[in-house]
């Protein structure tokens, strides 16, 4: 809950579904997803990659299931990981049925490329029988021919029409445990499509900018697109699509949610860009702290400011703050109040110790409140 009126986001009301143990939509927290890039048939490699994503804080992981061998591997993968698994299905309806039988929590399909209505009906039956939800995944790069002929090109109207057309197929079968995505690599197209879809229905929405690019450019594009949607209250689960390792997608997804005050996990570092006034090397210090504090899950804030111009003011807003000072001594703040100074040589170790101690205090307090 935001503590200032201008920070409040009014979230779109949507139906709630389950993806395994993770709730999506309604008042459930916005979940962070990623997708593996290992051959799913290699269960050991896929499990290892999912575990790295789990350490980064992922809520849901999607794996490709293009072959019978890949769906066979799902049995072991699902058993060995701690997050729900979404099976990514294209064209072969039998793979969807096999994935449901193997324990997938959700099937990502495009009903239009599954085949006949009878095949879609079989997939829905398997999902219902095995407690799977479904994601209708519409993509600007693979729209149906009749929609391209109607609109001349991928546009928001075509994406929304495709999504609602496929949703109607599932609703005709009295299946309502589904969410929808309408992704595009063009930020304007994706955002406009999600805005129109959000107005047209109450289905939970999986948001993302598909094929966003490499780590840096993809992060920028995703932050613009997803940030715009989330700020408008649109989105129930998200994936940041990067040409990078899955855990990088998770980190960026969390950073977007943390920046908007939507979800909090781990240490949020507020740091200056550094300048000639800095009393210590801010860039190196922040890089070291990001790496050494990555294991902390308890939400707390840390300000690292190189000089006294903005340092004391930022410290007022954070749990722990550090401001660069003269003669190699720097001020440490607790809850906005000056507490003690620290020598520059041992500052990183000292900050890590302070943050770990504060995180433990917060966790213990939360546990006590929960017990009471």
């Amino acid at each position: 809950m935001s503590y200032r009126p201008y920070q409040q986001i009014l979230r779109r009301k949507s139906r709630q579904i389950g993806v395994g143990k993770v709730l999506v939509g309604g008042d459930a927290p916005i979940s962070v997803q990623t997708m593996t890039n290992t051959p799913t048939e290699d269960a050991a490699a896929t499990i290892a990659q999912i575990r790295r994503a789990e350490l980064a804080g992922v809520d849901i992981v999607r794996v490709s299931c293009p072959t019978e061998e890949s769906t066979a591997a799902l049995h072991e993968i699902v058993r060995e990981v701690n997050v729900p698994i979404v099976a990514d299905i294209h064209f072969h309806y039998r793979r969807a049925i096999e994935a449901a039988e193997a324990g997938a929590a959700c099937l990502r399909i495009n009903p239009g490329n599954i085949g006949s209505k009878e095949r879609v009906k079989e997939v829905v039956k398997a999902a219902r029988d095995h407690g799977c939800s479904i994601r209708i995944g519409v993509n600007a790069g693979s729209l149906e021919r009749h929609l391209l002929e109607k609109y001349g090109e991928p546009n928001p109207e075509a994406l929304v029409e495709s999504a609602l057309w496929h949703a109607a197929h599932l609703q005709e079968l009295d299946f309502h445990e589904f969410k929808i995505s309408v992704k595009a690599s063009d930020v304007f197209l994706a955002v406009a499509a999600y805005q129109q879809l959000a107005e047209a229905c109450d289905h939970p929405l999986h948001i993302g900018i598909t094929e966003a690019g490499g780590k840096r450019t993809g992060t920028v594009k995703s932050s613009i697109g997803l940030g715009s949607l989330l700020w408008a209250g649109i989105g129930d689960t998200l994936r940041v699509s990067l040409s990078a390792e899955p855990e990088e997608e998770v980190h960026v997804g969390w950073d977007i949610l943390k920046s908007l005050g939507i979800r909090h996990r781990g240490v949020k570092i507020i740091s200056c860009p550094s300048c000639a006034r800095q009393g210590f090397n801010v860039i190196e210090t922040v890089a070291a702290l990001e790496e050494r504090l990555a294991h902390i899950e308890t939400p707390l804030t840390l300000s690292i400011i190189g000089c006294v111009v903005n340092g004391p003011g930022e410290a007022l807003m954070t749990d722990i703050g550090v401001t660069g000072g003269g003669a190699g001594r720097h001020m440490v703040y607790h809850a906005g109040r000056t507490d003690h100074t620290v020598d520059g040589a041992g500052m990183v170790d000292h900050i890590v110790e302070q943050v770990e101690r504060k995180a433990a205090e917060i966790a213990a307090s939360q546990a006590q409140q929960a017990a009471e």
Side-chain angles (χ1 to χ4, degrees), residues 50-306:
I50 293 171
R51 286 176 176 165
R52 291 196 295 274
E54 289 177 344
L55 288 174
V58 77
D59 296 303
I60 299 168
V61 174
R62 179 159 48 115
V63 303
S64 296
C65 292
T67 65
E68 191 171 353
E69 291 77 16
S70 62
T71 55
L74 272 186
H75 289 278
E76 181 180 356
I77 293 168
V78 168
R79 185 177 66 247
E80 294 296 327
V81 301
N82 300 304
V83 292
I85 298 299
V86 178
D88 194 67
I89 310 294
H90 288 283
F91 304 114
H92 301 291
Y93 82 104
R94 286 293 314 169
R95 302 293 86 79
I97 296 171
E98 292 161 3
E101 293 171 346
C106 180
L107 306 174
R108 189 274 191 187
I109 65 170
N110 186 327
N113 65 27
I114 287 293
S116 65
K117 282 193 173 182
E118 189 57 37
R119 287 183 174 179
V120 173
K121 186 176 181 179
E122 289 189 51
V123 171
V124 168
K125 181 180 185 302
R128 182 179 282 120
D129 289 347
H130 296 280
C132 291
S133 56
I134 287 176
R135 170 156 76 96
I136 297 172
V138 175
N139 194 299
S142 57
L143 275 171
E144 293 80 9
R145 183 183 299 275
H146 75 275
L147 291 174
L148 290 175
E149 291 174 352
K150 177 178 179 179
Y151 292 102
E153 64 176 2
N155 63 17
E157 291 74 21
L159 289 170
V160 171
E161 184 171 332
S162 175
L164 295 178
W165 181 53
H166 294 319
H169 289 175
L170 302 188
Q171 290 173 310
E172 286 172 6
L173 297 169
D174 196 28
F175 188 86
H176 305 281
E177 286 290 303
F178 65 87
K179 50 193 170 82
I180 301 178
S181 63
V182 282
K183 294 187 179 181
S185 59
D186 178 85
V187 174
F188 296 97
L189 174 54
V191 170
Y194 277 113
Q195 288 171 336
Q196 290 187 23
L197 185 59
E199 290 288 331
C201 68
D202 69 345
H203 307 314
L205 301 182
H206 169 121
I207 61 174
I209 307 299
T210 194
E211 298 151 0
K215 181 177 177 180
R216 179 173 59 84
T217 56
T219 294
V220 172
K221 284 181 66 175
S222 296
S223 298
I224 293 169
L226 298 185
S228 298
L229 291 169
L230 292 166
W231 202 334
I234 297 170
D236 301 292
T237 185
L238 65 86
R239 180 199 173 187
V240 176
S241 298
L242 303 178
S243 299
E245 291 304 302
E247 55 265 37
E248 293 297 335
E249 297 186 347
V250 178
H251 289 313
V252 175
W254 270 102
D255 285 342
I256 292 171
L257 293 176
K258 285 160 67 175
S259 294
L260 290 168
I262 293 172
R263 282 188 75 181
H264 304 281
R265 180 185 187 275
V267 182
K268 179 180 179 181
I269 299 179
I270 292 90
S271 60
C272 68
S274 82
C275 70
R277 295 190 305 268
Q278 64 184 0
F280 57 88
N281 191 314
V282 173
I283 294 173
E284 289 182 1
T285 300
V286 171
L289 289 171
E290 285 180 336
E291 180 178 351
R292 293 186 57 182
L293 298 175
H295 66 287
I296 294 179
E297 298 182 9
T298 304
L300 60 84
T301 52
L302 169 67
S303 58
I304 304 294
I305 310 298

